[in-house]
């Protein structure tokens, strides 16, 4: 344990934890076995945040088993979380200030209950000798509940933003940033997307398809959703 001073002159405490032995495909990693690699080797294929996410998916007292398949699964799991948060932000941007139908009201109640339940489960897991594996399980359950709510038309922006905020809050506890590396879509691309919207309104579908292809060539894809066009990098 080491204590230092934060920028605002308030003390904070950092903790370093040893993890269990590192295995490669269920064999202990060692130079003599020829299965030795460094973090620099790994980040040529996987982002640093994926490596951290992978290591948090198991208990720090237990051995860690590395394999390309497991790291790929971790990458997919991390993408599922970040995609959920991104989608919540997107839907909330055009959502009503309050639920405007009975189905949306029910979805909001379910989402509120899910936030309370998985908040408790997350805290309990972290209090249980830093059981990060169970903490991540609570986050995945929250992702499932949030995606269900976001799929219901009329759910309020506040409810969706609360879910996104909670996910970011829990991930921050684990040292994971879902917004890491995120870049705004260039204004030029957004202008093209708006031109495509107008072309579709004018029923000029040939031009709309042409713009979609031009946007694709710039490295972005357009998904038409009930909330409007959603632009994401390839």
């Amino acid at each position: 344990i080491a204590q230092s001073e934060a920028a605002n002159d308030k003390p904070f405490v950092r903790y370093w934890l040893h993890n269990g032995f590192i295995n490669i495909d269920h064999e202990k990693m060692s130079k003599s076995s020829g299965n030795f690699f460094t973090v620099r080797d790994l980040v040529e294929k996987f982002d640093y945040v994926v490596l951290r996410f992978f290591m948090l998916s198991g208990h720090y007292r237990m051995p860690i088993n590395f394999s390309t398949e497991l790291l790929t699964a971790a990458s997919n799991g991390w993408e599922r979380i970040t995609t959920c948060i991104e989608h919540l932000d997107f839907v909330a941007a055009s959502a009503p200030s309050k639920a405007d139908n009975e189905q949306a009201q029910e979805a909001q109640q379910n989402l509120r209950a899910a936030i309370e339940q998985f908040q408790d489960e997350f805290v309990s897991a972290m209090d249980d000798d830093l059981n990060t594996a169970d903490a991540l399980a609570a986050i995945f359950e929250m992702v499932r509940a949030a995606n269900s709510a976001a799929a219901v038309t009329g759910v309020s922006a506040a409810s969706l933003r609360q879910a996104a905020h909670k996910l970011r809050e829990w991930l921050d506890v684990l040292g994971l940033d879902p917004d890491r590396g995120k870049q705004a879509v260039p204004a030029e691309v957004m202008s093209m997307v708006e031109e495509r919207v107008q072309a579709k309104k004018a029923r000029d579908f040939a031009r709309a398809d042409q713009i979609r292809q031009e946007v694709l060539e710039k490295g972005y894809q357009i998904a038409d959703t009930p909330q409007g066009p959603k632009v994401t990098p390839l």
Side-chain angles (χ1 to χ4, degrees):
I1 302 174
Q3 182 167 319
S4 183
E5 295 292 326
N8 59 3
D9 295 328
K10 293 182 179 180
F12 65 89
V13 177
R14 288 178 176 174
Y15 297 91
W16 286 267
L17 295 175
H18 291 285
N19 54 265
F21 289 115
I22 297 178
N23 298 326
I24 308 298
D25 293 324
H26 301 289
E27 293 185 6
K28 184 179 177 180
M29 184 174 73
S30 65
K31 289 185 178 180
S32 61
S33 299
N35 63 352
F36 179 84
F37 55 80
T38 65
V39 171
R40 288 189 181 89
D41 298 326
L42 287 173
V43 296
E44 292 181 2
K45 295 183 178 180
F46 301 96
D47 193 279
Y48 284 106
V49 70
V50 172
L51 300 184
R52 183 178 182 87
F53 178 80
F54 171 75
M55 295 184 74
L56 289 168
S57 65
H59 198 279
Y60 73 93
R61 293 183 184 274
M62 302 299 292
I64 298 174
N65 184 56
F66 276 98
S67 72
T68 300
E69 291 76 13
L70 291 173
L71 285 170
T72 299
S75 180
N76 293 337
W78 177 242
E79 183 178 3
R80 180 184 169 199
I81 294 173
T82 57
T83 299
C84 171
I85 294 174
E86 179 182 317
H87 187 59
L88 288 170
D89 291 340
F90 174 76
V91 176
S94 59
S97 58
K98 61 180 182 180
D100 57 10
N101 61 73
E102 186 175 336
Q103 186 179 13
Q105 291 175 354
E106 182 180 355
Q108 285 187 189
Q109 292 175 354
N110 292 338
L111 183 58
R112 191 177 303 113
I115 290 174
E116 293 178 358
Q117 176 185 346
F118 300 125
Q119 167 81 23
D120 290 342
E121 291 187 9
F122 179 87
V123 172
S124 295
M126 294 300 288
D127 284 345
D128 181 21
D129 192 21
L130 295 180
N131 190 338
T132 54
D134 282 358
L136 285 176
I139 288 175
F140 275 117
E141 288 298 322
M142 185 66 237
V143 164
R144 185 174 61 82
N147 282 334
S148 295
V152 177
T153 302
V155 172
S156 73
S159 296
L160 298 172
R161 289 184 177 126
Q162 183 188 20
H165 170 74
K166 278 298 178 182
L167 285 169
R168 284 187 169 99
E169 180 181 279
W170 300 339
L171 291 170
D172 183 62
V173 172
L174 299 173
L176 298 168
D177 182 5
D179 301 311
R180 180 180 183 273
K182 184 185 296 185
Q183 297 180 348
V185 178
E188 177 188 6
V189 173
M190 293 307 299
S191 178
M192 295 171 67
V193 173
E194 178 57 30
E195 182 184 351
R196 179 174 176 271
V197 170
Q198 298 306 318
K200 290 182 67 177
K201 287 182 178 179
R203 303 187 67 79
D204 187 352
F205 299 115
R207 176 55 182 155
D209 289 342
Q210 181 184 359
I211 294 174
R212 179 195 286 273
Q213 182 59 36
E214 292 173 356
V215 169
L216 194 64
E217 291 171 359
K218 290 184 177 295
Y220 294 87
Q221 58 186 356
I222 303 174
D224 293 315
T225 76
Q227 294 80 28
K230 183 177 181 181
V231 187
T232 55
L234 295 174

